[in-house]
Amino acid sequence: MRALVLGGGGVTGIAWETGLLHGLAEAGVDLAEADLFVGTSAGSVVAAQLAGGVSLATQYEGQLRPPTGEIAARLGYGTILRYMVAYALPGTAQQKRARLGAAAVRAKTVDEAERRKVFEGRLAQGGWPERELKVTAVNTSDGAFKAFDRDSGAPFVDAVAASCAVPLVWPPVSINGDRYMDGGMRSPANVDLAAGYSQVVVVAPIVRAFGHAARPDVQAARLGADVRSIVVSPDTAAQAAIGANVLDPARRKPSAEAGFAQAATVVDAVREVWG
């Protein structure tokens, strides 16, 4: 059984992941054949479309077009510093996430309904796919981690929007009486959700984490000695294409192209895991 885990990384992360996956498919390694898709933040958008049957070629072409319908934003050093402070203060990992969640609820952002329209445009299929898909988020009230799926009772668009709700930048998303923020606040990729699968490919635009145990490579290593896994992250050229602001829609096209180019350098290693 094979799992594809797609991590967070903003609009440039969506683009880079899409380019990489398309490049791998063109080289004969189609990760869209996964038995399980796990999506966190940016990865939830890509995973949702793959699980819903949207071809990688179609997704890639979309990333090359002008980013109409996207809302420009910035994940600046000030915001990152506030994350660091929230996680540096005493408490359990869940308590730290709750602290950040409280700040996210208070933050002045665009309207939740306006932000939802972005995801209505991104997810043309509208409803939960039949294929196995887990979309991650964090409850702002208590910091609890949530993996939404088709049986969770969460509307599909809202689940993906919640996973992408970067705290202090985008509004938390209301689902069944609770408000949720970015699943990347627990881990950049939440690789541990692929436990039980024998072949796991992790595509992670961001590999640094608030805590060693949350790192994608650490979580992949803990899946078990009998599990074949690999973590692919942006190479030097892709990092330059992505730039300093992962939420800049103008960097979408070069990020996608960099991902496509990088595929040629990792295809053999990924094929060894994927089979």
Side-chain angles (χ1 to χ4, degrees):
M1 297 287 281
R2 301 182 294 185
L4 175 61
V5 180
L6 301 173
V11 292
T12 58
I14 294 173
W16 173 78
E17 288 180 4
T18 301
L20 182 83
L21 295 173
H22 182 48
L24 289 171
E26 290 288 286
V29 181
D30 188 1
L31 300 184
E33 296 175 345
D35 300 294
L36 167 70
F37 297 91
V38 176
T40 292
S41 199
S44 71
V45 176
V46 182
Q49 293 183 89
L50 285 177
V54 181
S55 74
L56 281 166
T58 298
Q59 291 189 54
Y60 184 66
E61 289 169 6
Q63 294 302 315
L64 300 182
R65 291 195 291 267
T68 56
E70 295 286 344
I71 304 173
R74 183 168 187 83
L75 184 59
Y77 293 117
T79 301
I80 295 173
L81 179 60
R82 291 181 68 182
Y83 292 176
M84 294 173 67
V85 170
Y87 282 92
L89 292 173
T92 65
Q94 183 171 332
Q95 288 171 334
K96 293 177 180 183
R97 294 194 296 267
R99 186 181 297 134
L100 185 56
V105 170
R106 295 193 302 267
K108 294 182 179 179
T109 65
V110 300
D111 182 73
E112 185 179 341
E114 180 182 356
R115 176 65 174 159
R116 191 182 193 278
K117 291 178 183 177
V118 172
F119 290 89
E120 291 173 348
R122 287 177 179 173
L123 304 170
Q125 69 267 43
W128 283 98
E130 287 301 314
R131 300 178 70 186
E132 195 68 26
L133 168 66
K134 295 181 180 180
V135 173
T136 70
V138 170
N139 193 314
T140 58
S141 65
D142 60 4
F145 178 66
K146 180 71 175 180
F148 292 111
D149 60 21
R150 62 175 175 266
D151 299 320
S152 63
F156 178 59
V157 171
D158 292 327
V160 177
S163 190
C164 296
V166 180
L168 311 181
V169 176
W170 302 123
V173 174
S174 304
I175 299 177
N176 298 331
D178 289 308
R179 301 192 75 191
Y180 291 88
M181 64 181 180
D182 197 318
M185 295 303 104
R186 176 186 183 255
S187 165
N190 295 294
V191 181
D192 53 330
L193 290 179
Y197 287 76
S198 58
Q199 296 150 265
V200 180
V201 172
V202 182
V203 179
I206 296 172
V207 294
R208 289 176 294 179
F210 297 111
H212 181 74
R215 289 176 56 95
D217 57 339
V218 173
Q219 291 188 338
R222 291 178 176 173
L223 290 174
D226 58 340
V227 176
R228 299 208 307 263
S229 67
I230 185 174
V231 178
V232 182
S233 59
D235 61 13
T236 302
Q239 290 175 19
I242 289 168
N245 180 20
V246 300
L247 300 181
D248 183 2
R251 305 302 302 172
R252 208 170 73 167
K253 183 175 184 289
S255 298
E257 292 172 334
F260 186 86
Q262 185 179 347
T265 70
V266 300
V267 62
D268 290 339
V270 174
R271 182 182 287 113
E272 202 168 311
V273 169
W274 203 246

